[in-house]
């Protein structure tokens, strides 16, 4: 299943050097920067990868194990709270745009379409 999601992401993300925009959020893949409105947001590598994944598939719900497989790829137990912690810090850093990330209890996380 992880391989299928990766293949879909490769096909749908289009250009590697492009920008992903969703509402007031902009992720520039070439410069590896994120803007929330006019403010640049400094993210860790995993937070950046999470946001890029969410923004490339808005409305798609990702389970914790899918996120672990796609962002962390290996070496992390499914029983860990790593995903929850990173999603929480990402929300904090996005400020008012944190409402774009939705957690569906018992199911996973997704980026809402504004």
């Amino acid at each position: 299943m992880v391989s299928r999601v990766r293949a879909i992401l490769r096909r749908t993300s289009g250009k590697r050097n492009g920008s992903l925009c969703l509402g007031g959020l902009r992720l520039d893949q070439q410069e590896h920067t994120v803007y929330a409105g006019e403010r640049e947001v400094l993210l860790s590598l995993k937070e950046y990868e999470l946001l890029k994944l969410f923004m490339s598939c808005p409305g798609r719900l990702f389970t914790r194990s899918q996120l672990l497989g796609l962002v962390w790829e290996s070496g992390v137990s499914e029983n860990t709270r790593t995903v929850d912690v990173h999603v929480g810090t990402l929300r904090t850093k996005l400020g008012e745009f944190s409402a774009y990330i939705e957690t569906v209890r018992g199911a996973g996380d997704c980026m809402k379409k504004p």
Side-chain angles (χ1 to χ4, degrees):
M1 181 154 180
V2 171
S3 297
R4 283 185 177 181
V5 171
R6 283 189 182 138
I8 291 169
L9 290 176
R10 275 195 309 272
R11 287 192 303 266
T12 60
S13 64
K15 304 173 191 113
R16 283 250 188 254
N17 296 337
S19 292
L20 297 172
C21 296
L22 190 66
L25 286 177
R26 184 170 55 90
L27 185 141
D28 188 321
Q29 295 181 62
Q30 186 173 15
E31 295 184 13
H32 210 268
T33 55
V34 174
Y35 290 90
E38 298 297 317
R39 176 179 59 92
E40 183 175 2
V41 180
L42 301 175
L43 300 177
S44 72
L45 177 62
K46 295 303 181 188
E47 292 163 350
Y48 176 86
E49 292 297 324
L50 267 174
L51 185 61
K52 183 169 85 170
L53 180 62
F54 285 146
M55 289 181 72
S56 64
C57 300
R60 170 132 168 41
L61 185 70
F62 292 95
T63 65
R64 178 182 288 153
S65 60
Q66 287 173 329
L67 292 173
L68 285 170
L70 292 167
V71 176
W72 281 266
E73 294 183 8
S74 65
V76 181
S77 166
E78 284 194 34
N79 296 329
T80 185
R81 304 258 318 153
T82 300
V83 172
D84 302 327
V85 170
H86 280 81
V87 169
T89 56
L90 178 59
R91 279 191 175 119
T92 301
K93 291 179 179 182
L94 292 179
E96 65 185 271
F97 297 96
S98 65
Y100 288 8
I101 299 174
E102 181 178 16
T103 298
V104 178
R105 188 174 176 171
D109 298 289
C110 69
M111 177 71 73
K112 292 192 298 187
K113 297 177 186 178

